[in-house]
Amino acid sequence: MNLDWEFIAESLPLYGDAMWLTVKLAFWAIVFSLVLGLIFSIVLYYKVRGLSLIIQAYIELSRNTPLLVQLFFLYYGLPKVGLKMSEVTCAIVGLTFLGGSYMTEAFRSGMEAVSKPQVESGLSIGLSRTQLARYVILPQAFAISIPSLGANVIFLLKETSIVGAIALMDLMNVAKDLIGMHYKTAESLLLLVLAYLILVLPLSIVLSWLERKVRYAEFGN
Amino acid sequence: MQNSGIEVLFEGSNLERLLGGLLVTIEISFVSIVIGTVLGVLMGLLRTLNLKPLQAVLRLYLEAFRIIPILVWLYVVHFSFTPLLNIDISGEATSILVFSLWGAAEIGDIVRGALQSMPKHQEESGAALGLSRIQLYRYILIPQAIRRMVPGAINLATRMIKTTSLVVLIGVIEVVKIGQQIIELGVIKAPNASFWVYGFIFILYFAVCFPLSRFSRRVERRWQN
């Protein structure tokens, strides 16, 4: 197969821009969903009445619907009832809506996996509930959660591939445009796959390394 | 008051068409899960054998689907099969192909995980009783491993149903596409239709996936003990 290298060189900047957009969207979505997940999992762990129920409903809604439909609803549906957001905001809100529930579950299962004797010892030396959370549960829970948090990070990064559906010039959209305009299918798709490999592969390797490292952080099991 | 827009769901055959579109989504997922399971079980069994090169290949195959987004796979197959191999396959066929291959990779990993998590003494006791390799798999390992596979497999099924919503982007006429058609047709008469139509599709997906994920959680809890 003969690849048109000139075409590849010419389209590199386009892919570069799109990768930057992907990184930006994924970064904010990951940050916001981590914050959301941390807050929600603490609420769930301490079984705050009323709030827990709302959060659980949110988790089920978010996990059992596709991101594409969530984005379409946010982008095309909500403006009809007066809530208009830019494409970028929409994508970040949508990704956070999706990622928040996955992060909550990751943190919560980490908190629940902290061994009971740890919690009891903390209580017996007179720690308050906040101190217990801050010094005993959360540090360990965080270490235990790292593998699933990492999986969620990769998941969110990959899910950004859908934002082209709400008119953002992401990698998918660039590839599609180039195919449509120049019929350089093989070149465009090759660059598309490479772009995702460059984005996801290093992260995936770092995470599996980290996963082996943090096993040491599990005490008392 | 002007049309609120919700009527658009019940006009003519709109509701039927939307549900029909959902059926396309479910059909693609169902067929893919069936093909994926058959291939995946085979792959999982192969991965428990100690054949280094084969393991490397199958591992690479799994990682390829884990690292590259499914939408990229759909694009690659959709845009490259027709010109490169000179065969014309429909969007549906493309989707089924991609989802089956993805399913095979993931099911393969679930099967491998379940078989390898089986305590060694189960296999040894079986061997001590004089069971053959095939009998060992048939009466001891597989029945127990299935319990550990079911929750993961149902989970994969809901993920697949959700991901099938992407096939609209390679031109398959499914529920989202039909929704778009309804919105476009009613653009003057029911300008707020997109709120209701997309809201409805949102609920449709939820109605399909929620019972499945509930079911898998229950199975998981019951079989853990």
Side-chain angles (χ1 to χ4, degrees):
Chain A
M1 189 164 52
N2 283 321
L3 293 175
D4 182 345
W5 293 102
E6 211 170 301
F7 174 80
I8 289 182
E10 273 167 24
S11 25
L12 276 179
L14 284 174
Y15 280 91
D17 289 348
M19 272 170 90
W20 178 232
L21 176 71
T22 296
V23 169
K24 234 168 32 184
L25 292 177
F27 174 79
W28 288 115
I30 289 163
V31 169
F32 289 139
S33 26
L34 279 172
V35 172
L36 216 62
L38 186 62
I39 297 171
F40 285 0
S41 59
I42 292 173
V43 172
L44 287 178
Y45 185 78
Y46 286 113
K47 302 196 171 69
V48 180
R49 202 175 299 167
L51 275 182
S52 290
L53 216 65
I54 297 172
I55 291 171
Q56 243 140 19
Y58 153 70
I59 289 177
E60 295 299 346
L61 263 183
S62 141
R63 293 186 65 117
N64 288 305
T65 48
L67 178 63
L68 183 74
V69 178
Q70 295 169 0
L71 285 177
F72 276 165
F73 184 70
L74 285 173
Y75 188 67
Y76 297 110
L78 283 188
K80 305 292 177 193
V81 291
L83 223 123
K84 208 165 162 50
M85 289 179 278
S86 75
E87 289 87 354
V88 172
T89 318
C90 231
I92 294 175
V93 170
L95 285 162
T96 306
F97 180 81
L98 182 78
S101 67
Y102 283 82
M103 294 299 187
T104 306
E105 299 274 77
F107 275 127
R108 190 181 51 166
S109 59
M111 289 171 84
E112 273 162 11
V114 173
S115 66
K116 274 275 151 338
Q118 291 274 330
V119 179
E120 284 157 8
S121 328
L123 286 173
S124 73
I125 58 169
L127 295 183
S128 72
R129 265 164 52 124
T130 338
Q131 285 173 322
L132 191 69
R134 181 156 166 220
Y135 297 111
V136 181
I137 299 173
L138 287 178
Q140 292 186 67
F142 188 68
I144 299 170
S145 311
I146 280 187
S148 42
L149 291 176
N152 292 345
V153 165
I154 291 185
F155 168 70
L156 281 176
L157 191 59
K158 284 163 66 187
E159 288 287 298
T160 56
S161 59
I162 297 166
V163 299
I166 56 167
L168 280 163
M169 260 333 241
D170 75 322
L171 288 165
M172 302 300 300
N173 236 352
V174 166
K176 199 174 152 191
D177 266 15
L178 288 178
I179 293 171
M181 283 188 298
H182 305 285
Y183 298 105
K184 301 279 185 197
T185 311
E187 289 84 351
S188 309
L189 292 175
L190 181 71
L191 286 173
L192 177 65
V193 172
L194 282 179
Y196 275 104
L197 280 180
I198 293 169
L199 285 174
V200 185
L201 194 60
L203 206 60
S204 152
I205 293 170
V206 168
L207 281 167
S208 53
W209 172 79
L210 207 61
E211 202 171 312
R212 281 194 299 275
K213 284 274 153 198
V214 297
R215 295 255 161 84
Y216 297 114
E218 295 171 28
F219 305 111
N221 283 328
Chain B
M1 192 182 124
Q2 218 205 351
N3 259 342
S4 79
I6 194 169
E7 301 84 10
V8 82
L9 292 176
F10 308 103
E11 262 163 28
S13 57
N14 283 358
L15 200 60
E16 259 168 73
R17 287 177 58 210
L18 280 171
L19 291 172
L22 187 69
L23 214 59
V24 174
T25 296
I26 293 173
E27 255 167 35
I28 292 175
S29 337
F30 183 77
V31 174
S32 309
I33 289 164
V34 171
I35 300 175
T37 306
V38 174
L39 289 176
V41 169
L42 200 73
M43 252 175 233
L45 289 173
L46 287 177
R47 281 187 67 190
T48 58
L49 304 175
N50 260 331
L51 297 169
K52 281 269 148 59
L54 182 69
Q55 268 181 352
V57 171
L58 291 177
R59 185 67 206 272
L60 196 71
Y61 172 73
L62 172 69
E63 291 301 328
F65 276 95
R66 291 225 168 130
I67 287 170
I68 296 168
I70 296 299
L71 187 55
V72 175
W73 280 113
L74 285 170
Y75 266 46
V76 167
V77 175
H78 184 67
F79 287 115
S80 65
F81 263 43
T82 322
L84 284 183
L85 302 174
N86 243 334
I87 44 167
D88 201 7
I89 64 172
S90 67
E92 277 94 342
T94 304
S95 319
I96 289 176
L97 181 66
V98 170
F99 283 100
S100 300
L101 292 176
W102 173 38
E106 294 280 359
I107 295 273
D109 202 46
I110 292 170
V111 170
R112 176 201 58 81
L115 284 174
Q116 284 178 349
S117 74
M118 217 52 73
K120 211 75 221 119
H121 64 78
Q122 290 283 338
E123 207 176 322
E124 284 159 3
S125 325
L129 283 173
L131 295 183
S132 71
R133 193 88 207 141
I134 292 169
Q135 284 173 322
L136 206 63
Y137 269 93
R138 172 144 180 232
Y139 297 111
I140 297 188
L141 295 180
I142 291 174
Q144 292 186 73
I146 281 179
R147 287 182 154 217
R148 301 184 183 194
M149 290 173 205
V150 169
I154 301 173
N155 221 336
L156 179 68
T158 58
R159 263 166 71 206
M160 214 174 252
I161 293 172
K162 283 189 293 172
T163 314
T164 318
S165 63
L166 301 183
V167 301
V168 66
L169 302 175
I170 59 163
V172 177
I173 313 269
E174 44 71 87
V175 62
V176 176
K177 185 78 211 167
I178 290 173
Q180 286 170 345
Q181 289 170 349
I182 291 173
I183 291 164
E184 275 161 30
L185 272 177
V187 78
I188 294 161
K189 224 172 59 189
N192 291 338
S194 56
F195 177 78
W196 298 104
V197 170
Y198 287 128
F200 184 64
I201 295 173
F202 188 85
I203 293 165
L204 277 183
Y205 268 103
F206 181 73
V208 174
C209 294
F210 180 61
L212 268 177
S213 62
R214 259 289 141 93
F215 180 62
S216 92
R217 213 172 309 158
R218 196 195 286 164
V219 171
E220 201 167 358
R221 216 167 288 155
R222 186 182 307 160
W223 282 356
Q224 236 162 24
N225 314 315

